[in-house]
Amino acid sequence: MRKSKTVTARGLAIGGGNPVSIQSMLNAPSEDKEACLAQLKSLEGCGCQVVRMAVNSKAAAETLEYLLPRTSLPLVADIHFDYRLALLAAEVGVSKIRINPGNIGAAENIKKVADACRKRNIPIRIGINGGSLEKRLLEKYGGPTPEAIAESAVDNARLLENFDFGDIVLSVKSSNVKNMIAANRLLAEQTVYPLHLGVTETGTGNSALVKSAVGIGALLADGIGDTIRVSLSERVEEEVAAAKLILQSLGLRRGINLISCPTCGRTSFDLIAAAKELKAKLDLIKCDKDINVALMGCVVNGPGEAKEADIGAAGAGDEAVIFRKGQVIRRIPTARIVEELLFELDVLLKEDT
């Protein structure tokens, strides 16, 4: 596990071995206060821990000021080009500011942002995107290579350090998954700052989810990464759901995990439909414990291969068995397999309270 320094945004500790936090970004019009608030509350409800919003105008800064007292979540102002908007965000008490120093302009403008944030204990996230690198680095490396992306982040961090500012989070993103992974590995070796992970511009649907899971998951599996955003062309709530699944798959977030076999010619009931029904119902259950629920399609993959599951069921024709930790506890009609599994899960949850 990479040990980075700790940066705190509105009470949320990022880095330093603290749990990996989940981020998303408002996509409602930044000037529409009520639309932004409704989306913010929805993100709160589904488990998002940090919310970023584009501050691209004075009206957007006013929306930010409106939102801050109406949420307990850290709010991050996303600033491009106009340093004065970063100063406005700092004045209203934003939790963190995201900038790309390369497009803010002259060094004195960056210094003004650093001074304003230092005065108010506001961390700065340096966000570097493979699609908007400095011309000198593109010429040096012949394109947006991992080395170019990482060097841009290091150089911009040093720029803030020169202004006596070190409350920094680094983020290097690319739509190229391999480049994103390699750039973050370079940064993990070269700096001690917390790293925000994400694959940018992934698109939509399964391909987008796979890109994010591969890029973010590969790094988290190596102990690299302190906060994540799954960037999707979908509802923002879907980003949070996907981030939770990535963390849970790596044992970095607790919850109910469904184990179900992929089916084969031995399967003698509609396991796929049952698994989808079960998953939809499990997703509605809030749980702060690690619980494995298995749904298996035959005796081969039943209590044997799923013996480590806390509870499970295996069906064969019209009859199924319910088991705990590999031990069969009763037999049931296969038609009731989802209902009976949920009953056993409820019993298990009550036993643990």
Side-chain angles (χ1 to χ4, degrees):
M1 179 72 181
R2 173 180 180 260
K3 189 67 177 289
S4 66
K5 68 178 292 185
T6 302
V7 169
T8 302
R10 205 177 194 181
L12 178 70
I14 300 169
N18 288 287
V20 177
S21 54
I22 295 172
Q23 301 195 19
S24 187
M25 187 171 184
L26 301 180
N27 60 18
S30 297
E31 297 80 10
D32 190 332
K33 296 178 181 178
E34 295 305 326
C36 285
L37 179 60
Q39 197 170 66
L40 175 59
K41 291 298 182 183
S42 179
L43 285 170
E44 280 184 12
C46 67
C48 188
Q49 295 167 282
V50 183
V51 176
R52 183 159 52 111
M53 72 168 286
V55 178
N56 55 351
S57 66
K58 188 172 183 287
E62 291 171 355
T63 298
L64 186 64
E65 185 175 18
Y66 175 78
L67 296 176
L68 279 162
R70 291 170 171 80
T71 182
S72 60
L73 294 183
L75 294 184
V76 183
D78 190 75
I79 310 292
H80 286 276
F81 305 112
D82 191 345
Y83 78 96
R84 293 169 296 183
L85 293 174
L87 299 181
L88 277 176
E91 286 175 9
V92 302
V94 73
S95 313
K96 186 165 70 169
I97 288 177
R98 186 269 188 182
I99 61 170
N100 181 343
N103 69 27
I104 289 295
E108 59 263 28
N109 295 341
I110 298 170
K111 183 178 186 302
K112 290 175 183 175
V113 175
D115 290 344
C117 289
R118 187 191 315 102
K119 179 181 177 182
R120 298 170 176 85
N121 295 316
I122 298 171
I124 293 176
R125 172 180 147 197
I126 296 174
I128 305 298
N129 194 313
S132 57
L133 286 179
E134 297 95 324
K135 184 179 179 181
R136 63 177 179 81
L137 291 174
L138 292 173
E139 292 175 351
K140 177 180 178 179
Y141 291 99
T145 65
E147 293 79 9
I149 296 169
E151 186 170 321
S152 177
V154 171
D155 287 350
N156 283 299
R158 285 175 180 159
L159 184 60
L160 287 181
E161 291 167 356
N162 289 339
F163 298 131
D164 194 30
F165 191 92
D167 207 9
I168 298 169
V169 176
L170 295 179
S171 172
V172 288
K173 295 187 178 183
S174 173
S175 56
N176 182 303
V177 177
K178 290 180 68 176
N179 282 355
M180 173 267 186
I181 294 171
N184 275 285
R185 284 178 174 158
L186 288 170
L187 270 189
E189 294 174 354
Q190 297 172 15
T191 76
V192 296
Y193 293 118
L195 299 182
H196 170 81
L197 306 182
V199 181
T200 191
E201 300 158 356
T202 59
T204 186
N206 288 337
S207 64
L209 292 170
V210 169
K211 289 176 189 176
S212 290
V214 170
I216 295 171
L219 291 163
L220 291 176
D222 286 345
I224 297 170
D226 304 286
T227 178
I228 66 174
R229 179 194 175 192
V230 177
S231 299
L232 304 174
S233 300
E234 304 279 359
R235 295 171 59 249
V236 292
E237 294 83 0
E238 296 299 319
E239 295 187 348
V240 178
K244 286 181 176 180
L245 288 175
I246 292 171
L247 293 177
Q248 190 174 335
S249 72
L250 292 166
L252 299 173
R253 182 63 62 98
R254 291 184 171 182
I256 300 172
N257 177 45
L258 174 62
I259 300 167
S260 63
C261 66
T263 75
C264 68
R266 287 186 295 267
T267 308
S268 54
F269 73 102
D270 193 350
L271 183 141
I272 293 174
K276 288 181 178 179
E277 179 187 353
L278 179 60
K279 180 65 168 64
K281 292 180 178 179
L282 293 178
D283 285 345
L284 299 176
I285 301 172
K286 291 186 177 181
C287 180
D288 60 358
K289 300 178 177 64
D290 288 323
I291 295 178
N292 288 317
V293 177
L295 177 59
M296 313 304 283
C298 70
V299 292
V300 173
N301 285 336
E305 290 196 17
K307 64 183 177 182
E308 298 303 320
D310 295 283
I311 57 171
D318 294 332
E319 186 177 73
V321 294
I322 297 289
F323 53 89
R324 280 196 181 197
K325 294 292 186 180
Q327 299 298 313
V328 174
I329 58 174
R330 59 195 174 92
R331 297 181 180 275
I332 60 167
T334 300
R336 293 175 54 83
I337 199 166
V338 172
E339 180 182 347
E340 296 292 337
L341 261 180
L342 291 171
F343 172 80
E344 290 298 328
L345 174 61
D346 184 59
V347 171
L348 180 63
L349 291 172
K350 287 178 179 176
E351 287 177 356
D352 290 340
T353 57

